[in-house]
Tab-separated table of all heavy atoms in Angstrom:
chain	number	residue	atom	x	y	z
E	49	PHE	N	-181.900	-69.864	-201.734
E	49	PHE	CA	-182.854	-68.823	-202.047
E	49	PHE	C	-184.249	-69.331	-201.760
E	49	PHE	O	-184.528	-70.470	-201.779
E	49	PHE	CB	-182.713	-68.454	-203.562
E	49	PHE	CG	-181.451	-67.841	-203.948
E	49	PHE	CD1	-180.550	-68.508	-204.704
E	49	PHE	CD2	-181.093	-66.569	-203.568
E	49	PHE	CE1	-179.312	-68.011	-205.055
E	49	PHE	CE2	-179.893	-65.997	-203.937
E	49	PHE	CZ	-179.019	-66.747	-204.700
E	50	TYR	N	-185.175	-68.357	-201.578
E	50	TYR	CA	-186.593	-68.678	-201.419
E	50	TYR	C	-187.344	-68.339	-202.664
E	50	TYR	O	-186.847	-67.527	-203.483
E	50	TYR	CB	-187.180	-67.925	-200.220
E	50	TYR	CG	-186.669	-68.330	-198.844
E	50	TYR	CD1	-186.345	-67.423	-197.897
E	50	TYR	CD2	-186.477	-69.691	-198.569
E	50	TYR	CE1	-185.877	-67.823	-196.627
E	50	TYR	CE2	-186.009	-70.089	-197.294
E	50	TYR	CZ	-185.750	-69.162	-196.380
E	50	TYR	OH	-185.330	-69.560	-195.124
E	51	LEU	N	-188.494	-68.857	-202.792
E	51	LEU	CA	-189.388	-68.551	-203.909
E	51	LEU	C	-188.808	-68.895	-205.258
E	51	LEU	O	-189.124	-68.243	-206.276
E	51	LEU	CB	-189.829	-67.068	-203.889
E	51	LEU	CG	-190.438	-66.554	-202.589
E	51	LEU	CD1	-190.783	-65.046	-202.716
E	51	LEU	CD2	-191.695	-67.310	-202.283
E	52	THR	N	-188.085	-69.915	-205.336
E	52	THR	CA	-187.452	-70.294	-206.628
E	52	THR	C	-187.954	-71.612	-207.193
E	52	THR	O	-187.730	-71.906	-208.348
E	52	THR	CB	-185.902	-70.373	-206.525
E	52	THR	OG1	-185.535	-71.265	-205.482
E	52	THR	CG2	-185.355	-69.034	-206.235
E	53	PHE	N	-188.590	-72.450	-206.416
E	53	PHE	CA	-189.050	-73.794	-206.828
E	53	PHE	C	-190.451	-74.018	-206.309
E	53	PHE	O	-190.603	-74.728	-205.335
E	53	PHE	CB	-188.057	-74.865	-206.390
E	53	PHE	CG	-188.154	-76.157	-207.149
E	53	PHE	CD1	-187.914	-76.200	-208.546
E	53	PHE	CD2	-188.493	-77.289	-206.528
E	53	PHE	CE1	-188.000	-77.387	-209.220
E	53	PHE	CE2	-188.596	-78.508	-207.173
E	53	PHE	CZ	-188.341	-78.531	-208.548
E	54	LEU	N	-191.416	-73.340	-206.860
E	54	LEU	CA	-192.774	-73.307	-206.320
E	54	LEU	C	-193.698	-74.157	-207.125
E	54	LEU	O	-193.466	-74.468	-208.312
E	54	LEU	CB	-193.245	-71.891	-206.336
E	54	LEU	CG	-192.449	-70.867	-205.478
E	54	LEU	CD1	-192.897	-69.496	-205.747
E	54	LEU	CD2	-192.550	-71.257	-204.033
E	55	LEU	N	-194.816	-74.585	-206.538
E	55	LEU	CA	-195.939	-75.190	-207.250
E	55	LEU	C	-196.635	-74.056	-207.982
E	55	LEU	O	-196.648	-72.947	-207.543
E	55	LEU	CB	-196.927	-75.762	-206.240
E	55	LEU	CG	-196.484	-77.065	-205.539
E	55	LEU	CD1	-197.509	-77.428	-204.488
E	55	LEU	CD2	-196.343	-78.161	-206.553
E	56	PRO	N	-197.173	-74.266	-209.186
E	56	PRO	CA	-197.249	-75.513	-209.935
E	56	PRO	C	-196.078	-75.691	-210.889
E	56	PRO	O	-196.002	-76.683	-211.550
E	56	PRO	CB	-198.553	-75.373	-210.664
E	56	PRO	CG	-198.669	-73.923	-210.964
E	56	PRO	CD	-198.104	-73.224	-209.697
E	57	GLN	N	-195.133	-74.717	-210.947
E	57	GLN	CA	-194.002	-74.807	-211.913
E	57	GLN	C	-193.163	-76.083	-211.677
E	57	GLN	O	-192.821	-76.749	-212.693
E	57	GLN	CB	-193.104	-73.564	-211.868
E	57	GLN	CG	-193.816	-72.299	-212.261
E	57	GLN	CD	-194.450	-71.576	-211.119
E	57	GLN	OE1	-194.644	-72.072	-210.038
E	57	GLN	NE2	-194.921	-70.341	-211.426
E	58	CYS	N	-192.879	-76.433	-210.403
E	58	CYS	CA	-192.025	-77.582	-210.193
E	58	CYS	C	-192.774	-78.858	-210.574
E	58	CYS	O	-192.215	-79.770	-211.082
E	58	CYS	CB	-191.489	-77.642	-208.755
E	58	CYS	SG	-192.733	-77.900	-207.543
E	59	GLN	N	-194.085	-78.892	-210.328
E	59	GLN	CA	-194.867	-80.041	-210.709
E	59	GLN	C	-194.856	-80.245	-212.240
E	59	GLN	O	-194.640	-81.358	-212.722
E	59	GLN	CB	-196.283	-79.888	-210.217
E	59	GLN	CG	-197.145	-81.132	-210.529
E	59	GLN	CD	-198.513	-81.031	-209.878
E	59	GLN	OE1	-198.874	-80.063	-209.169
E	59	GLN	NE2	-199.344	-82.035	-210.107
E	60	THR	N	-195.048	-79.154	-212.958
E	60	THR	CA	-195.057	-79.224	-214.433
E	60	THR	C	-193.676	-79.668	-214.875
E	60	THR	O	-193.567	-80.509	-215.786
E	60	THR	CB	-195.385	-77.824	-215.003
E	60	THR	OG1	-196.699	-77.469	-214.519
E	60	THR	CG2	-195.363	-77.854	-216.531
E	61	LEU	N	-192.625	-79.172	-214.343
E	61	LEU	CA	-191.228	-79.521	-214.762
E	61	LEU	C	-190.940	-80.987	-214.507
E	61	LEU	O	-190.477	-81.726	-215.354
E	61	LEU	CB	-190.238	-78.635	-214.017
E	61	LEU	CG	-188.771	-78.917	-214.265
E	61	LEU	CD1	-188.414	-78.614	-215.730
E	61	LEU	CD2	-187.870	-78.126	-213.322
E	62	LEU	N	-191.297	-81.491	-213.315
E	62	LEU	CA	-191.101	-82.881	-212.983
E	62	LEU	C	-191.897	-83.796	-213.927
E	62	LEU	O	-191.409	-84.796	-214.409
E	62	LEU	CB	-191.429	-83.137	-211.490
E	62	LEU	CG	-190.457	-82.602	-210.496
E	62	LEU	CD1	-191.041	-82.560	-209.099
E	62	LEU	CD2	-189.146	-83.353	-210.538
E	63	GLU	N	-193.180	-83.504	-214.106
E	63	GLU	CA	-194.041	-84.304	-214.994
E	63	GLU	C	-193.530	-84.295	-216.453
E	63	GLU	O	-193.547	-85.316	-217.113
E	63	GLU	CB	-195.491	-83.833	-214.909
E	63	GLU	CG	-196.123	-84.139	-213.590
E	63	GLU	CD	-197.540	-83.577	-213.455
E	63	GLU	OE1	-197.922	-82.679	-214.191
E	63	GLU	OE2	-198.197	-84.003	-212.474
E	64	SER	N	-192.996	-83.200	-216.861
E	64	SER	CA	-192.443	-83.129	-218.244
E	64	SER	C	-191.217	-83.988	-218.446
E	64	SER	O	-190.791	-84.298	-219.552
E	64	SER	CB	-192.176	-81.714	-218.676
E	64	SER	OG	-191.029	-81.186	-217.983
E	65	HIS	N	-190.568	-84.338	-217.255
E	65	HIS	CA	-189.384	-85.213	-217.348
E	65	HIS	C	-189.718	-86.655	-216.897
E	65	HIS	O	-188.860	-87.439	-216.547
E	65	HIS	CB	-188.302	-84.627	-216.463
E	65	HIS	CG	-187.602	-83.509	-217.109
E	65	HIS	ND1	-188.050	-82.184	-217.037
E	65	HIS	CD2	-186.459	-83.454	-217.916
E	65	HIS	CE1	-187.239	-81.402	-217.703
E	65	HIS	NE2	-186.305	-82.145	-218.257
E	66	GLY	N	-191.009	-86.996	-216.930
E	66	GLY	CA	-191.415	-88.372	-216.731
E	66	GLY	C	-191.682	-88.818	-215.270
E	66	GLY	O	-191.821	-89.956	-215.021
E	67	PHE	N	-191.757	-87.890	-214.390
E	67	PHE	CA	-192.038	-88.193	-212.981
E	67	PHE	C	-193.477	-88.221	-212.723
E	67	PHE	O	-194.283	-87.424	-213.325
E	67	PHE	CB	-191.386	-87.177	-212.005
E	67	PHE	CG	-189.859	-87.307	-211.922
E	67	PHE	CD1	-189.031	-86.647	-212.796
E	67	PHE	CD2	-189.317	-88.069	-210.867
E	67	PHE	CE1	-187.685	-86.765	-212.690
E	67	PHE	CE2	-187.953	-88.196	-210.801
E	67	PHE	CZ	-187.146	-87.531	-211.686
E	68	HIS	N	-193.914	-89.089	-211.856
E	68	HIS	CA	-195.269	-89.068	-211.315
E	68	HIS	C	-195.235	-88.233	-210.095
E	68	HIS	O	-194.440	-88.480	-209.153
E	68	HIS	CB	-195.789	-90.450	-210.992
E	68	HIS	CG	-197.068	-90.508	-210.249
E	68	HIS	ND1	-198.277	-90.173	-210.862
E	68	HIS	CD2	-197.345	-90.747	-208.948
E	68	HIS	CE1	-199.228	-90.285	-209.924
E	68	HIS	NE2	-198.635	-90.602	-208.736
E	69	VAL	N	-196.100	-87.200	-209.988
E	69	VAL	CA	-195.993	-86.261	-208.899
E	69	VAL	C	-197.303	-86.320	-208.069
E	69	VAL	O	-198.385	-86.244	-208.539
E	69	VAL	CB	-195.825	-84.787	-209.429
E	69	VAL	CG1	-195.786	-83.821	-208.281
E	69	VAL	CG2	-194.586	-84.702	-210.272
E	70	GLN	N	-197.031	-86.529	-206.773
E	70	GLN	CA	-198.112	-86.495	-205.757
E	70	GLN	C	-197.905	-85.295	-204.891
E	70	GLN	O	-196.757	-85.122	-204.308
E	70	GLN	CB	-198.128	-87.745	-204.941
E	70	GLN	CG	-199.133	-87.770	-203.891
E	70	GLN	CD	-198.993	-88.972	-202.950
E	70	GLN	OE1	-198.035	-89.731	-203.033
E	70	GLN	NE2	-199.950	-89.140	-202.046
E	71	VAL	N	-198.883	-84.454	-204.668
E	71	VAL	CA	-198.779	-83.316	-203.815
E	71	VAL	C	-199.692	-83.483	-202.606
E	71	VAL	O	-200.928	-83.678	-202.787
E	71	VAL	CB	-199.215	-81.963	-204.556
E	71	VAL	CG1	-199.161	-80.792	-203.647
E	71	VAL	CG2	-198.324	-81.764	-205.804
E	72	ARG	N	-199.128	-83.511	-201.441
E	72	ARG	CA	-199.862	-83.775	-200.229
E	72	ARG	C	-200.114	-82.448	-199.503
E	72	ARG	O	-199.166	-81.712	-199.181
E	72	ARG	CB	-199.111	-84.689	-199.290
E	72	ARG	CG	-198.751	-86.008	-199.885
E	72	ARG	CD	-199.716	-87.162	-199.557
E	72	ARG	NE	-200.195	-87.138	-198.182
E	72	ARG	CZ	-199.689	-87.816	-197.172
E	72	ARG	NH1	-198.662	-88.550	-197.377
E	72	ARG	NH2	-200.228	-87.700	-195.996
E	73	ASN	N	-201.377	-82.109	-199.236
E	73	ASN	CA	-201.753	-80.898	-198.596
E	73	ASN	C	-201.916	-81.020	-197.054
E	73	ASN	O	-202.141	-80.072	-196.385
E	73	ASN	CB	-203.049	-80.355	-199.160
E	73	ASN	CG	-202.927	-80.046	-200.657
E	73	ASN	OD1	-201.889	-79.621	-201.116
E	73	ASN	ND2	-204.005	-80.289	-201.386
E	74	ASP	N	-201.837	-82.289	-196.550
E	74	ASP	CA	-202.239	-82.591	-195.198
E	74	ASP	C	-201.086	-82.914	-194.260
E	74	ASP	O	-201.286	-83.474	-193.203
E	74	ASP	CB	-203.279	-83.678	-195.157
E	74	ASP	CG	-202.657	-84.934	-195.837
E	74	ASP	OD1	-201.601	-84.914	-196.443
E	74	ASP	OD2	-203.345	-85.996	-195.723
E	75	VAL	N	-199.880	-82.561	-194.590
E	75	VAL	CA	-198.701	-82.972	-193.846
E	75	VAL	C	-198.307	-81.923	-192.788
E	75	VAL	O	-198.026	-82.317	-191.655
E	75	VAL	CB	-197.504	-83.276	-194.771
E	75	VAL	CG1	-196.248	-83.651	-194.007
E	75	VAL	CG2	-197.884	-84.421	-195.719
E	76	PHE	N	-198.308	-80.701	-193.152
E	76	PHE	CA	-197.803	-79.654	-192.250
E	76	PHE	C	-198.910	-78.934	-191.541
E	76	PHE	O	-200.002	-78.729	-192.087
E	76	PHE	CB	-196.947	-78.643	-193.063
E	76	PHE	CG	-195.762	-79.295	-193.764
E	76	PHE	CD1	-195.840	-79.637	-195.115
E	76	PHE	CD2	-194.586	-79.642	-193.054
E	76	PHE	CE1	-194.778	-80.200	-195.762
E	76	PHE	CE2	-193.509	-80.220	-193.682
E	76	PHE	CZ	-193.630	-80.540	-195.024
E	77	THR	N	-198.618	-78.491	-190.298
E	77	THR	CA	-199.630	-77.759	-189.551
E	77	THR	C	-198.990	-76.490	-189.001
E	77	THR	O	-197.791	-76.265	-189.090
E	77	THR	CB	-200.150	-78.584	-188.370
E	77	THR	OG1	-199.052	-78.928	-187.540
E	77	THR	CG2	-200.799	-79.888	-188.877
E	78	GLY	N	-199.820	-75.656	-188.391
E	78	GLY	CA	-199.332	-74.415	-187.750
E	78	GLY	C	-198.759	-73.467	-188.781
E	78	GLY	O	-199.309	-73.224	-189.830
E	79	ARG	N	-197.639	-72.881	-188.386
E	79	ARG	CA	-196.979	-71.891	-189.305
E	79	ARG	C	-196.569	-72.516	-190.662
E	79	ARG	O	-196.380	-71.743	-191.614
E	79	ARG	CB	-195.740	-71.293	-188.641
E	79	ARG	CG	-196.114	-70.372	-187.477
E	79	ARG	CD	-194.940	-69.786	-186.826
E	79	ARG	NE	-193.743	-69.625	-187.686
E	79	ARG	CZ	-192.521	-69.425	-187.283
E	79	ARG	NH1	-192.285	-69.190	-186.050
E	79	ARG	NH2	-191.563	-69.322	-188.100
E	80	LEU	N	-196.370	-73.808	-190.719
E	80	LEU	CA	-195.948	-74.463	-191.948
E	80	LEU	C	-197.116	-74.982	-192.775
E	80	LEU	O	-196.957	-75.639	-193.787
E	80	LEU	CB	-194.987	-75.585	-191.594
E	80	LEU	CG	-193.708	-75.215	-190.873
E	80	LEU	CD1	-192.916	-76.452	-190.529
E	80	LEU	CD2	-192.914	-74.237	-191.630
E	81	ALA	N	-198.317	-74.666	-192.335
E	81	ALA	CA	-199.550	-75.243	-193.038
E	81	ALA	C	-199.637	-74.857	-194.477
E	81	ALA	O	-200.277	-75.568	-195.288
E	81	ALA	CB	-200.818	-74.805	-192.267
E	82	ARG	N	-198.990	-73.805	-194.913
E	82	ARG	CA	-199.014	-73.367	-196.310
E	82	ARG	C	-198.166	-74.263	-197.175
E	82	ARG	O	-198.285	-74.238	-198.395
E	82	ARG	CB	-198.554	-71.906	-196.430
E	82	ARG	CG	-199.465	-70.939	-195.850
E	82	ARG	CD	-198.932	-69.519	-196.054
E	82	ARG	NE	-199.730	-68.547	-195.426
E	82	ARG	CZ	-199.506	-68.034	-194.229
E	82	ARG	NH1	-198.423	-68.379	-193.528
E	82	ARG	NH2	-200.297	-67.091	-193.695
E	83	LEU	N	-197.235	-74.968	-196.575
E	83	LEU	CA	-196.353	-75.820	-197.356
E	83	LEU	C	-197.051	-77.111	-197.872
E	83	LEU	O	-197.982	-77.598	-197.230
E	83	LEU	CB	-195.119	-76.239	-196.523
E	83	LEU	CG	-194.163	-75.165	-196.205
E	83	LEU	CD1	-193.063	-75.713	-195.257
E	83	LEU	CD2	-193.566	-74.565	-197.440
E	84	ARG	N	-196.582	-77.607	-198.942
E	84	ARG	CA	-197.059	-78.848	-199.517
E	84	ARG	C	-195.893	-79.866	-199.662
E	84	ARG	O	-194.858	-79.456	-200.018
E	84	ARG	CB	-197.695	-78.616	-200.904
E	84	ARG	CG	-198.781	-77.604	-200.968
E	84	ARG	CD	-199.966	-78.068	-200.132
E	84	ARG	NE	-201.044	-77.085	-200.134
E	84	ARG	CZ	-201.412	-76.366	-199.060
E	84	ARG	NH1	-200.737	-76.460	-197.976
E	84	ARG	NH2	-202.393	-75.516	-199.127
E	85	LEU	N	-196.152	-81.074	-199.302
E	85	LEU	CA	-195.155	-82.102	-199.489
E	85	LEU	C	-195.280	-82.655	-200.905
E	85	LEU	O	-196.375	-83.080	-201.301
E	85	LEU	CB	-195.350	-83.247	-198.498
E	85	LEU	CG	-194.243	-84.256	-198.507
E	85	LEU	CD1	-192.963	-83.725	-197.988
E	85	LEU	CD2	-194.677	-85.533	-197.654
E	86	VAL	N	-194.221	-82.674	-201.619
E	86	VAL	CA	-194.192	-83.151	-202.989
E	86	VAL	C	-193.444	-84.457	-203.046
E	86	VAL	O	-192.248	-84.507	-202.582
E	86	VAL	CB	-193.597	-82.098	-203.970
E	86	VAL	CG1	-193.521	-82.643	-205.389
E	86	VAL	CG2	-194.357	-80.788	-203.899
E	87	ILE	N	-194.041	-85.466	-203.626
E	87	ILE	CA	-193.392	-86.755	-203.763
E	87	ILE	C	-193.353	-87.054	-205.252
E	87	ILE	O	-194.385	-87.214	-205.903
E	87	ILE	CB	-194.135	-87.883	-202.975
E	87	ILE	CG1	-194.264	-87.499	-201.573
E	87	ILE	CG2	-193.407	-89.213	-203.192
E	87	ILE	CD1	-195.257	-88.342	-200.775
E	88	ALA	N	-192.142	-87.112	-205.849
E	88	ALA	CA	-191.982	-87.344	-207.240
E	88	ALA	C	-191.203	-88.658	-207.448
E	88	ALA	O	-190.151	-88.776	-206.956
E	88	ALA	CB	-191.232	-86.178	-207.927
E	89	THR	N	-191.870	-89.560	-208.129
E	89	THR	CA	-191.262	-90.848	-208.453
E	89	THR	C	-191.234	-91.125	-209.928
E	89	THR	O	-191.984	-90.527	-210.735
E	89	THR	CB	-192.100	-92.016	-207.754
E	89	THR	OG1	-193.398	-91.903	-208.223
E	89	THR	CG2	-192.068	-91.839	-206.218
E	90	LYS	N	-190.327	-91.989	-210.283
E	90	LYS	CA	-190.175	-92.312	-211.702
E	90	LYS	C	-189.983	-93.813	-211.855
E	90	LYS	O	-189.176	-94.465	-211.110
E	90	LYS	CB	-188.943	-91.600	-212.243
E	90	LYS	CG	-188.852	-91.540	-213.749
E	90	LYS	CD	-187.760	-90.599	-214.185
E	90	LYS	CE	-187.819	-90.385	-215.657
E	90	LYS	NZ	-186.748	-89.444	-216.123
């Protein structure tokens, strides 16, 4: 499905479970430029 795991809800969910979340805005270009790369580590 689409539109089910979006920022900022997924960031809040991951952080509430102890993950450190980094959101990168500079990874995708062109038609994908609206996407953000999320890196969640624990």
Side-chain angles (χ1 to χ4, degrees):
F49 295 107
Y50 292 139
L51 303 180
T52 56
F53 199 62
L54 300 170
L55 287 170
Q57 295 90 350
C58 68
Q59 183 174 357
T60 301
L61 179 65
L62 288 165
E63 288 173 346
S64 72
H65 283 85
F67 285 88
H68 169 73
V69 179
Q70 176 188 7
V71 179
R72 301 267 318 268
N73 299 326
D74 58 350
V75 175
F76 301 100
T77 61
R79 289 180 27 193
L80 301 176
R82 292 182 184 98
L83 291 176
R84 303 297 179 250
L85 185 70
V86 177
I87 304 167
T89 57
K90 194 170 190 179

